[in-house]
Amino acid sequence: MNHTIIFDDRDLESFHVDNKSKLLSSFLMESEEPVSYSFLHLTVQEFFSAFVHYADYSPEKLQKSLEKAKSYPDGRGEMFLRFLCGLSDATTRSLLTGYLDTRAAQASRDVITWLKNFITGGGEEEEKEGGEMLEAGEEERLEESENKKQLLRTFFYLFETRNKVLVQESLQSHRTLDLSYVPLSALDCTMLSFIIECCSHIEGLHLSGCSITPEGLERLAPGLHNLRDLRLGNNNLPDSSCVPLASVIRNNPDLKILVLSGNSLPGPDLSVLLEALSGLRRLEELR
């Protein structure tokens, strides 16, 4: 949390790390003159910062770290929180048998309780820096954009837990998910696919202007079922996306609204998409 990425022997001593251990080189790099250490990758450091709460459980330290990590407006606690949520999954923890004891299960319960409170509390709004006056319309757009990004962060915490019941409980009041104009990476699409697949009650998915790539669409497609309103406009998807789009359409026969405008679909595979569209019997609006 302090942006510390270079460590010395005193740091290793304070964390009871044996710098003669062969295991050290599997996650730390050593530099000479003066001797210093750094993790092989920042995500490894983030993982260990979360793992320590399961390996050396203290309810007070865990709660303090959770509250501190979510308080940073620059998002520096994001990966730490994702790893904490990921380690709450018993199957994931089973890979670390020998490093964890029975107290890790209590740490898991504490993290899930925190996540439930985080979701019901809406994540608590972060303070806005600066005192500039914004036009009403611009302020509303900024607030809407931030709310969508907050929703995406929450989805990632849920995704990491692999807890389908928790996902269903958390999103039971959502009938439509709107992440329009929030850029989505291929990994984001993998996460969204899992979230939507857990929630058969979700009928609407709005992902217009999300810069979804063909790879992202292929990762998203398996989770899309039972939708009645699907909006994928303005993603500049190429002709090669017609095949996965056709698959999505066949898996959602009750679609009433389908938005595909603002893409570059005309090409050799367009006929596959048109064939799938001809099977929609309840379609009311097509763009």
Side-chain angles (χ1 to χ4, degrees):
M1 296 303 162
N2 296 325
H3 289 314
T4 304
I5 58 174
I6 304 295
F7 305 90
D8 58 26
D9 284 319
R10 290 171 300 177
D11 295 310
L12 266 61
E13 288 172 10
S14 68
F15 285 99
H16 311 292
V17 177
D18 179 6
N19 61 2
K20 301 293 191 295
S21 170
K22 293 180 180 179
L23 183 63
L24 202 68
S25 62
S26 66
F27 59 88
L28 280 181
M29 294 183 295
E30 182 177 345
S31 302
E32 298 181 354
E33 296 182 3
V35 174
S36 63
Y37 306 88
S38 60
F39 283 86
L40 292 174
H41 194 278
L42 280 175
T43 51
V44 180
Q45 182 173 343
E46 301 276 13
F47 169 77
F48 272 99
S49 65
F51 174 70
V52 71
H53 287 291
Y54 287 85
D56 186 21
Y57 171 64
S58 163
E60 294 80 13
K61 288 181 180 178
L62 175 57
Q63 196 60 40
K64 183 179 178 180
S65 290
L66 283 164
E67 294 305 316
K68 190 175 182 181
K70 76 169 186 177
S71 69
Y72 291 106
D74 62 3
R76 75 181 72 169
E78 273 304 294
M79 289 304 296
F80 168 74
L81 290 171
R82 288 189 196 181
F83 277 126
L84 269 182
C85 291
L87 286 165
S88 71
D89 175 41
T91 303
T92 300
R93 289 202 312 280
S94 69
L95 301 171
L96 299 164
T97 301
Y99 297 98
L100 300 173
D101 58 27
T102 54
R103 294 180 301 165
Q106 184 57 52
S108 170
R109 288 190 285 272
D110 288 356
V111 169
I112 293 298
T113 298
W114 172 84
L115 181 54
K116 288 180 177 178
N117 292 335
F118 177 83
I119 292 169
T120 56
E124 295 184 10
E125 290 189 13
E126 296 164 349
E127 287 187 24
K128 293 182 175 63
E129 295 184 6
E132 299 90 346
M133 294 295 291
L134 295 171
E135 294 290 338
E138 183 183 355
E139 191 170 2
E140 286 176 10
R141 284 193 296 273
L142 287 172
E143 185 176 353
E144 181 183 8
S145 175
E146 185 52 44
N147 288 341
K148 289 178 179 179
K149 290 176 182 177
Q150 178 62 56
L151 189 62
L152 196 65
R153 287 194 288 269
T154 303
F155 286 171
F156 257 110
Y157 301 155
L158 290 168
F159 170 65
E160 292 291 349
T161 69
R162 315 304 291 178
N163 189 328
K164 294 184 177 181
V165 174
L166 179 60
V167 175
Q168 291 166 357
E169 290 177 354
S170 302
L171 299 179
Q172 59 186 349
S173 62
H174 290 70
R175 289 291 178 270
T176 297
L177 299 183
D178 184 0
L179 293 170
S180 298
Y181 298 98
V182 175
L184 298 178
S185 67
L187 179 59
D188 295 332
C189 291
T190 299
M191 174 273 293
L192 266 181
S193 181
F194 172 81
I195 294 293
I196 296 167
E197 196 166 21
C198 292
C199 302
S200 58
H201 63 278
I202 291 178
E203 298 179 348
L205 181 62
H206 299 178
L207 300 178
S208 293
C210 291
S211 303
I212 296 173
T213 63
E215 180 189 359
L217 180 63
E218 289 182 8
R219 293 190 185 194
L220 180 66
L224 304 188
H225 302 278
N226 308 315
L227 295 177
R228 299 191 178 186
D229 180 358
L230 177 60
R231 308 186 186 199
L232 294 168
N234 299 314
N235 282 297
N236 201 30
L237 291 167
D239 161 67
S240 59
S241 296
C242 286
V243 175
L245 280 172
S247 175
V248 168
I249 289 168
R250 292 190 193 100
N251 289 333
N252 294 273
D254 294 329
L255 274 173
K256 291 185 176 182
I257 299 174
L258 178 61
V259 177
L260 297 174
S261 55
N263 293 298
S264 304
L265 300 175
D269 293 325
L270 184 61
S271 59
V272 180
L273 178 61
L274 295 175
E275 183 181 347
L277 284 170
S278 67
L280 293 175
R281 302 300 181 207
R282 302 185 180 183
L283 197 62
E284 297 174 0
E285 182 180 330
L286 173 64
R287 299 184 198 170

